[in-house]
Amino acid sequence: MITTAPQLESVLICPECGHAKREVMPTDACQFFYECERCKTVLRPKTGDCCVFCSYGSAKCPPVQMQRSCSSCSA
């Protein structure tokens, strides 16, 4: 069985101002909030997503990439 390591970086794109920033994703928790450094909008996950990376990132969070649920996520 071949497994690949999850991608740990994602580019978050603010839906309000379009600012993009590369961030390192946590591997042990969901990130529910993220403040855009340009417009200060606080991003929250979209309905059905476990974290801001799954909603606004170029890559889904590591647990989702590995086809597991986020253990710290109750959504």
Side-chain angles (χ1 to χ4, degrees):
M1 179 177 189
I2 298 174
T3 58
T4 58
Q7 183 176 343
L8 300 179
E9 289 189 349
S10 182
V11 177
L12 282 171
I13 300 173
C14 177
E16 294 297 315
C17 72
H19 180 68
K21 183 164 184 195
R22 182 175 302 277
E23 296 286 354
V24 175
M25 295 182 278
T27 57
D28 60 348
C30 291
Q31 186 164 339
F32 296 110
F33 305 103
Y34 178 82
E35 183 178 309
C36 174
E37 68 181 15
R38 181 187 288 164
C39 72
K40 305 302 181 196
T41 295
V42 176
L43 306 182
R44 291 175 178 82
K46 294 177 184 177
T47 302
D49 285 342
C50 63
C51 66
V52 294
F53 291 103
C54 287
S55 294
Y56 306 105
S58 61
K60 302 286 186 187
C61 69
V64 170
Q65 291 178 50
M66 300 300 292
Q67 299 179 340
R68 299 188 317 246
S69 64
C70 285
S71 60
S72 64
C73 182
S74 61

